[in-house]
């Protein structure tokens, strides 16, 4: 199938099994409803190549997994516009951290 492949809405458990049948790596992905919003302060490097994320309070003390979401505006209000293969549309990204 072409395009973006996505896991089901109920989450998923994936395993990589070696030739001997032993599980070499396993990872579970929570469904979208398994995450709750958390307030955080983000400190970004001036050139945009790095950042630190500081959770507010102890909201993440019991959290097992985190989902970070970003929206990249390729045409900022000020400064130089960016594009990827001529595309300057908004890009949304999500990263799951176990």
């Amino acid at each position: 199938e072409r395009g973006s492949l996505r896991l089901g809405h109920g989450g998923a458990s994936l395993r990589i099994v070696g030739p001997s049948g032993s599980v070499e790596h396993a990872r579970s992905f929570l469904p979208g409803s398994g995450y709750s919003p958390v307030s955080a302060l983000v400190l970004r490097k001036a050139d945009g190549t790095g950042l630190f994320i500081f959770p507010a309070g102890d909201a993440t003390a019991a959290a097992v997994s985190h989902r970070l979401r970003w929206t990249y505006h390729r045409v900022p209000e000020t400064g130089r516009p960016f594009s990827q293969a001529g595309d300057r549309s908004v890009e949304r990204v999500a990263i799951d951290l176990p």
Side-chain angles (χ1 to χ4, degrees):
E1 178 179 331
R2 293 180 157 244
S4 297
L5 299 178
R6 299 184 182 267
L7 301 176
H9 293 289
S13 293
L14 305 176
R15 297 180 297 143
I16 297 175
V17 180
S20 67
S22 62
V23 176
E24 302 294 328
H25 180 75
R27 171 89 193 269
S28 294
F29 295 87
L30 296 174
S33 62
Y35 296 96
S36 299
V38 174
S39 296
L41 173 68
V42 177
L43 180 62
R44 182 178 63 102
K45 192 172 176 182
D47 65 2
T49 60
L51 58 86
F52 283 98
I53 301 171
F54 302 94
D58 63 337
T60 60
V64 175
S65 187
H66 302 278
R67 174 171 287 165
L68 305 177
R69 291 186 182 189
W70 279 277
T71 300
Y72 292 100
H73 296 274
R74 293 184 178 152
V75 181
E77 292 180 19
T78 62
R80 183 175 148 250
F82 297 95
S83 66
Q84 182 177 4
D87 181 7
R88 290 188 174 181
S89 64
V90 172
E91 180 179 6
R92 290 178 177 79
V93 179
I95 301 172
D96 291 340
L97 302 175

